[in-house]
Amino acid sequence: MEKVYSPAAIEQRLYQRWEAAGYFSPRPAERSYCIVIPPPNVTGTLHMGHAFQDTIMDALIRLHRMRAEQTLWQVGTDHAGIATQMVVERQLNAEGKRRTELTREAFVERVWAWKQQSGSTIAQQLRRLGASVDWTRERFTMDPDMSRAVVEAFVRLHQEGLIYRGQRLVNWDPVLGTALSDLEVLSEEEDGLLWHVRYRLAAGDGQLVVATTRPETILGDVAVAVHPEDERYRALIGRKLLLPLTGREIPIIADSYVDPAFGTGCLKITPAHDFNDYAIGMRHGLPLINIFTPDARLNDNAPAHLRGLDRFQARERIVAELEAAGLLERIEPHRLTIPRGDRTGAVIEPYLTDQWYVRIAPLAAPAMAAVESGRVRFVPENWDKTFYRWMRDIQDWCISRQLWWGHRIPAWYDEGGEIYVARSAAEAHAQARARHGREVALRQDDDVLDTWFSSGLWPFSTQGWPEQRPELERYYPTNVLVTGFDIIFFWVARMLMLGLKFMGEVPFREVYLHGLILDADGQKMSKSKGNVIDPLDIIDGIDLEALVAKRTTGLMQPQLAAGIERATRKQYPNGIAAYGTDALRFTFASFATQSLELRFDLGRVAGYRNFCNKLWNAARFVMLSLDQAAPPPAAASAHAAAPSAATSAIDVANRWIRSRLGATISAVERAFEQYRFDYAASALYEFTWHEYCDWYLEIVKPVLQDTGDAAAQHAARRTLLEVLEALLRALHPLMPFISEDIWLRVAPLAGAGGPSIMLAPWPQAAQFEHDAAAETELRWLMQVVLAIRQIRGEMDISPARRLPLLLQHASASDLQLAQRHHALLSRLAGLESARPLAAGETAPPAAAALVGELGLLVPMAGLIEPASELRRLGKRLQKIEQELTKSRAKLAVESFVNSAPADVVEQERTRLAERESERAALLRQIEQVRALAQEPV
RNA sequence: GGGUGCUUAGCUCAGCUGGUAGAGCGUCGCCUUUACACGGCGAAUGUCGCAGGUUCGAUCCCUGCAGCACCCACCA
């Protein structure tokens, strides 16, 4: 093995081997375990959020695979209608072309070409992460069989009246020229203006002043509303106003929606361009006047000289004209929420169109019931509140999009506009024939479905639905959905509704919602902020120039480049080092707390890279020590010989490390069950570094190197190997590569070979039985060693200097342990000698420490300055006295002694007693050292 | 406007059913001891956001306040 762990040398090679060998495919077993990957955009690239959630899923999958369950991680990608269409449109624009210059067929063909070209990027990136997805079952939401599922779902929902076509106001993105669902609209507060406009009474005997944020929509006004109780305007209700600029007559109506306190208390009503006005218009039977074209220019309902103006130009012109006509009373600044399309950032226009909707209430009710009854469980649990709130107020889902890329809506129209929803054109024609008694010409709906409609079917469409395939039976419902909370409405809720609808069962038993990865400053990572870290750059490393180039090219706002470059150079003066996949994965695991926000910290990655190196070198040590091994003693003689001191000492240590490993395995299992990957990571880290390496390896060294005891050496080597081998298996779900690489070398020696650690069984805690006696004994050993090291450290005694040690007040058990572990103590604490004080022997001046009642004395002669020992003792004394004061105070409170549970009181008394005897010992010690200090040298 | 979280060591975060606070990184000493300097040994550091309340006892439960974050919502 190389001296330094080098992830680049092992990772890709191992993954290729695994994939080629087909290890990612499920192997038949009684129990199954299935996770579907949240399908990433096919043309996208892997970001930190993906890497995080894929790490979690892979860890779960690998654990269950090792438990010999029939484990499937279903992989695939999403066609991502809007996002992908936009990317390809941008490419066209760069070539100086426009989408509309192409035929629909030509454009779609071009998107497919782009998908072929870029679709493998994310798949390759997933491989780099070590994701053990079953590539042989990869799906794409636009695959023919997936499309068939989409059509089937649409047709069935339509047949049941759960999909309908309706004309109403939608969120219209004028840049894309499509409708959007409510979820795809982001509202943010922005600075705007409030224009106060005069509307004159038709009779010429007065005016109303109306406050509006959108003066251009005056052209579509059909009324002005006031509150029915508003004394100021009560008398005017029912009278007519002249619409400014056009002179069209509109009524003054009364509606309690109007807030008399806002603005002037007069609200202009534009039903075709505002959701509230639409509702009011409906209530009052008012007409709708649409004044915009689909790209938000004024249409023919506007006065001739304004037609064709963009809505923002129109606003300027209309304000100017109002001003000129003396109809503009005043303008004031105003904060308002502006709705924007989540992809384009364009201001959303409420716009009257025909769209397809899913009637959501009948689907939402069973979904809520499933969560309420616990058939689906959110982790962390409190997400159910968010879910319920949204589901209660949910509006019908607009599923049609005026795009070219996506699943074409399976609806056809005849010349009369009659609709035929069918699984195929032929079926539609048949329906039309039946209706008309003759063949009629049909035209398919031009629109496509919302991407999330097909995503919502993912857990069963990937398994062949609507066909009843065995895998559908086997893997539905899936066990857990792992995803970000930001997608709970878009995806989780819809899968739940559609899964219940079509499969009659929830699509997953549990939903693990993880937090959002932020940069080190707590900012969301985004291209425009220039703070994006590519997970692959952490794995492979990247130099500063490449990182700067990556962050500053292709910006939507190129003027940000300079600032981004400056910040990047400051934050990563040396670029990013190559840490490897395992370190990155372990970092993600350790980040997987229940927190909503996770600040990514490269320091943590470096720490876990070091951890990998530690593990690597521990393995090296084990391998090296095996190379030096003498042949094991013959079984008979090993048993016949009386156990030597070395044997019985190492035997306790062997039992101890096995006991600790067992506890670690249990802790990891518990952690996985609770989705607390941070607990799993820290249990493994703690055991590997601070128990196996810090103690066990050090304990084993003298046995292996200093003694000629073959039986002890043999037992130590076996334990070294067995524990390492099982530890690697326990580490594998989080660190697949390094664990495999080492395991392939180690396992055969441990008699646990196999083609891959992936297929090896998950370690059984029961095989590493808990051993309380060994743990107690090792705790004693460690405390003694630590106490002596502390003296050495604080007294600045060179590690090379061997110390004599005297034991004071040693119990029989202390003496026995000291004798058994004499060699170890000497080695680990650097002792020259160790012996108990003889009866009646006066202790020499010494630095002292206590382990329970046992006093550890390091004679000071020539080693220790009395002054520094006094300082050390003084510090200890101070601390003890503080604790004593607290303890005494507590026990002095009668109510505590009376009301607190007996064991708590007892514990406090014990603590007090211990502190008191420690204090006494310290005082004696101080006295003695002080006397020494005063003696002339 | 409504909702949900968060506020613990210099930094990033843990902290189980209330019983006198932990890790990693960083810092400071000492050490190139043949697994590892991506290392070893030792050390220091916390009015647990603020103010009340409940309790024998509160980082933990309750109320209020402040700050931060996110989600939902039609106030022109």
Side-chain angles (χ1 to χ4, degrees), chain A residues 243-260:
Chain A
L243 193 61
L245 305 184
T246 68
R248 181 157 51 82
E249 277 196 7
I250 57 170
I252 299 171
I253 60 169
D255 195 292
S256 53
Y257 169 79
V258 180
D259 176 1

Side-chain angles (χ1 to χ4, degrees), chain A residues 80-118:
Chain A
I82 293 178
T84 306
Q85 174 158 332
M86 280 177 65
V87 169
V88 176
E89 270 197 84
R90 265 206 293 277
Q91 290 173 357
L92 279 174
N93 294 345
E95 296 168 20
K97 290 188 230 160
R98 296 178 63 87
R99 167 171 66 101
T100 43
E101 291 167 26
L102 274 62
T103 63
R104 178 171 185 152
E105 287 67 32
F107 179 79
V108 168
E109 209 167 291
R110 186 144 175 161
V111 181
W112 275 106
W114 168 239
K115 183 252 172 191
Q116 294 315 44
Q117 185 198 325
S118 81

Side-chain angles (χ1 to χ4, degrees), chain A residues 650 653 656 695-703 778 781 824 828:
Chain A
I650 195 66
W656 169 77
W695 289 99
Y696 187 69
L697 295 192
E698 296 306 320
I699 286 171
V700 154
K701 277 179 190 174
V703 176
L778 264 287
L781 178 75
L824 268 181
L828 298 177

Side-chain angles (χ1 to χ4, degrees), chain A residues 849-877:
Chain A
L850 284 175
V851 173
E853 294 290 302
L854 174 66
L856 303 168
L857 305 181
V858 177
M860 297 169 67
L863 271 179
I864 299 170
E865 283 299 315
S868 55
E869 174 65 0
L870 276 178
R871 221 169 17 249
R872 193 179 76 90
L873 293 171
K875 222 166 53 181
R876 283 221 151 6
L877 183 67

Side-chain angles (χ1 to χ4, degrees), chain A residues 275-297:
Chain A
F275 289 101
N276 294 312
D277 293 7
Y278 182 81
I280 294 171
M282 296 302 271
R283 278 203 287 280
H284 295 267
L286 296 168
L288 289 117
I289 302 177
N290 174 26
I291 58 164
F292 288 126
T293 61
D295 57 352
R297 295 169 183 281

Side-chain angles (χ1 to χ4, degrees), chain A residues 640-718:
Chain A
S644 68
T647 309
S648 71
I650 195 66
D651 177 59
V652 180
N654 292 342
R655 279 160 37 217
W656 169 77
I657 195 67
R658 294 176 64 92
S659 175
R660 296 308 308 147
L661 175 61
T664 303
I665 294 167
S666 301
V668 171
E669 286 172 349
R670 263 196 315 278
F672 269 75
E673 269 157 35
Q674 304 169 75
Y675 298 97
R676 286 302 301 261
F677 304 95
D678 57 326
Y679 289 173
S682 72
L684 289 163
Y685 184 98
E686 174 70 21
F687 174 80
T688 305
W689 200 311
H690 298 305
E691 296 187 314
Y692 188 67
C693 291
D694 282 354
W695 289 99
Y696 187 69
L697 295 192
E698 296 306 320
I699 286 171
V700 154
K701 277 179 190 174
V703 176
L704 261 27
Q705 292 162 7
D706 305 344
T707 71
D709 186 327
Q713 292 193 355
H714 179 65
R717 289 203 178 91
R718 275 238 60 80

Side-chain angles (χ1 to χ4, degrees), chain A residues 597-637:
Chain A
E597 298 172 352
L598 315 163
R599 290 186 186 213
F600 195 79
D601 176 9
L602 271 178
R604 293 280 287 270
V605 189
Y608 294 124
R609 188 270 322 266
N610 295 353
F611 175 64
C612 290
N613 188 55
K614 188 77 180 173
L615 175 67
W616 181 266
N617 277 287
R620 257 183 79 222
F621 172 81
V622 173
M623 306 284 286
L624 288 171
S625 69
L626 290 175
D627 290 346
Q628 300 156 359
S637 65

